[in-house]
Amino acid sequence: MTEKLTWIEEELAALKESGLFINLRVIDSPPGAWMTVDGKKVLNLCTNNYLGLAGDERLIKAAQDALAHYGAGPTAVRSIAGTLSVHRELERKVAAFKNVEDALYVQSGFLANQAAIPPLVGKEDVIFSDRLNHASIIDGARLSRAKIIVYEHCDPVDLEVKIKEHLSNYRRGLVVTDGVFSMDGDVAPLDQIYEVAEKYGVMTMVDDAHGEGVLGHGGRGIVDHFGLHGKFDVEIGTFSKAFGVVGGVIAGKKVIVDYLRQKARPFLFSNAVTAADSAACLAAVEVLSASTELVDRLWKNTETFKGEMKALGFNVGNSVTPITPVMLGDVKLAKEFSRKLFAEDVFAMALGFPTVPKGLARIRVMVSAMLSEDDLRFGLDKFAKIGRELGVI
Ligand SMILES: *Cc1c(COP(=O)(O)O)cnc(C)c1O
């Protein structure tokens, strides 16, 4: 071992010391209501498989057919020889589903932010960014080299103050916000953000990763939820959560999507998504376009779970979505709670700093449409038992 790398060993030791070291759990099944984690069958309150689509026969069949038809990988970037007919069909169908003019399919939601932000703003411009925006928005914003001005979380009044103070010093502005905030499950006041941005001629972008397949009519997302069709300039999305597959989408006004096809670097310089994944995404959009049944069940389960947790005396924060933070405060307590749940066959993750602010550690429960009444009861009983054991309720 050379001297020059000992600092890394020290960093790793420090992470372990502070309880922040990430241990990877290993999965050996689809992310169903029950899944195999580290060799053990547990109730899944942890994945983003909101609607159960990841294990859906229709998606699996679509992926198998596409694999046989197109082969394993495109072996080219989209702009050279990697645009498959299934990519185009997916882009048309997801645009129709979300009621936007056009859409661009990219490799992930994370990359969608890196693809979309730098072409729209540069060194002479300013980005107004919610304090709790997702890491991929922050990185996309940094990559653009625009000035980043942070406004207070979900606060359109502060947004206006910041726009008034800063916009005139720059060529143009972009306001960007998560739609649903993934750690708290609260929702950005998109209508008010839109009004403020419009008043000052600032471009608008929302990252709807946890809203698609969840909010709006039949899961059409946050813009549908607020009735803002045709108003937001750019909607970022992911196929890796409620849609159950992988990939990101940049949807919105045609002029922007046309422009990003020319300029977005992950689109120009990184290989296209495989046909199998793309076809599974397409099947997911078709399932959701045809029926609201799964989304309706997701919300019914959410009401049951949250209502019962509150009745038990847990603090479930300000969530208005299926994301249910069980607030515990201390990170060691949250980890202990999660460990005990796992020992009782319930899989729910503890989140601490830096994923959430210090002192606001929690267990995050992801409610899904997959859970039966018995499953919900099982999970609630275990939360009650351990909550009492640890003196939380
Ligand atoms: C999960 C998430 C992403 C990342 O999406 P991937 O498709 O997993 O890369 C981006 N933005 C937000 C707001 C997210 O919650």
Side-chain angles (χ1 to χ4, degrees):
M1 174 88 182
T2 52
E3 287 294 318
K4 67 183 179 188
L5 300 184
T6 49
W7 68 272
I8 302 179
E9 305 236 302
E10 286 159 20
E11 290 278 335
L12 287 171
L15 283 173
K16 284 179 184 156
E17 182 75 21
S18 59
L20 297 175
F21 188 83
I22 298 163
N23 288 299
L24 300 182
R25 294 208 183 269
V26 180
I27 316 302
D28 215 3
S29 73
W34 290 81
M35 59 192 288
T36 307
V37 182
D38 291 342
K40 183 175 151 94
K41 210 169 156 211
V42 289
L43 183 71
N44 174 11
L45 301 181
C46 203
T47 66
N48 301 311
N49 194 15
Y50 287 105
L51 304 172
L53 288 172
D56 191 289
E57 300 275 315
R58 293 164 287 190
L59 273 67
I60 293 168
K61 176 73 165 55
Q64 286 167 336
D65 290 351
L67 186 59
H69 181 78
Y70 296 93
T75 69
V77 300
R78 288 285 304 272
S79 54
I80 295 182
T83 294
L84 310 176
S85 49
V86 65
H87 294 141
R88 298 295 289 148
E89 197 182 347
L90 172 60
E91 289 170 344
R92 271 195 299 276
K93 288 234 165 104
V94 78
F97 177 69
K98 289 176 71 72
N99 199 357
V100 292
E101 291 174 5
D102 205 352
L104 187 65
Y105 181 50
V106 296
Q107 300 91 340
S108 76
F110 194 101
L111 274 175
N113 280 309
Q114 317 243 309
I117 300 175
L120 294 177
V121 282
K123 269 199 298 230
E124 299 148 81
D125 305 316
V126 57
I127 296 172
F128 301 97
S129 179
D130 186 286
R131 180 171 295 288
L132 296 187
N133 272 346
H134 189 264
S136 60
I137 297 177
I138 296 170
D139 286 10
R142 285 180 181 157
L143 206 54
S144 75
R145 299 199 284 168
K147 175 73 180 174
I148 299 165
I149 302 289
V150 171
Y151 65 90
E152 292 310 320
H153 178 54
C154 287
D155 187 345
V157 174
D158 189 52
L159 171 63
E160 180 159 14
V161 168
K162 297 277 160 66
I163 290 178
K164 273 188 182 158
E165 189 181 338
H166 296 281
L167 183 63
S168 61
N169 300 329
Y170 299 92
R171 182 177 58 175
R172 55 175 174 260
L174 169 72
V175 56
V176 54
T177 181
D178 272 34
V180 176
F181 290 82
S182 56
M183 297 302 140
D184 293 281
D186 54 341
V187 172
L190 218 58
D191 46 353
Q192 297 169 55
I193 288 172
Y194 172 75
E195 268 175 38
V196 171
E198 198 59 18
K199 187 167 156 190
Y200 296 92
V202 172
M203 296 181 288
T204 48
M205 176 183 289
V206 59
D207 183 340
D208 201 21
H210 280 278
E212 287 169 327
V214 176
L215 292 177
H217 175 68
R220 281 162 178 77
I222 190 167
V223 167
D224 185 88
H225 174 80
F226 281 101
L228 291 171
H229 298 289
K231 296 197 162 151
F232 256 70
D233 295 313
V234 189
E235 292 173 47
I236 300 295
T238 177
F239 286 96
S240 71
K241 289 173 177 144
F243 288 94
V245 195
V246 73
V249 62
I250 306 164
K253 297 192 175 147
K254 184 172 183 310
V255 63
I256 292 182
V257 177
D258 280 346
Y259 180 62
L260 293 179
R261 254 184 226 112
Q262 306 303 315
K263 294 283 184 180
R265 290 166 73 84
F267 182 81
L268 299 173
F269 297 108
S270 181
N271 199 87
V273 182
T274 68
D277 288 313
S278 311
C281 291
L282 178 58
V285 174
E286 285 169 347
V287 168
L288 290 190
S289 301
S291 161
T292 65
E293 186 194 336
L294 291 172
V295 179
D296 295 343
R297 202 182 309 149
L298 169 66
W299 283 97
K300 182 168 169 285
N301 283 352
T302 299
E303 268 170 44
T304 304
F305 187 82
K306 276 194 184 156
E308 301 260 334
M309 285 293 280
K310 280 185 204 159
L312 283 168
F314 285 104
N315 172 3
V316 292
N318 304 319
S319 169
V320 292
T321 63
I323 297 170
T324 308
V326 182
M327 305 306 292
L328 296 167
D330 177 54
V331 68
K332 293 222 163 88
L333 174 63
K335 293 210 161 181
E336 173 75 1
F337 206 119
S338 174
R339 249 194 317 275
K340 283 181 176 274
L341 283 171
F342 196 78
E344 299 271 358
D345 305 332
V346 174
F347 186 29
M349 200 60 110
L351 300 172
F353 183 80
T355 311
V356 297
K358 281 192 175 133
L360 293 178
R362 66 200 64 180
I363 304 253
R364 185 181 61 166
V365 173
M366 303 301 288
V367 180
S368 77
M370 301 183 285
L371 303 169
S372 69
E373 275 177 32
D374 285 351
D375 295 334
L376 287 167
R377 177 51 44 213
F378 184 90
L380 287 161
D381 286 349
K382 300 301 184 187
F383 262 97
K385 177 174 181 229
I386 294 159
R388 285 185 196 111
E389 257 174 53
L390 294 176
V392 175
I393 54 170

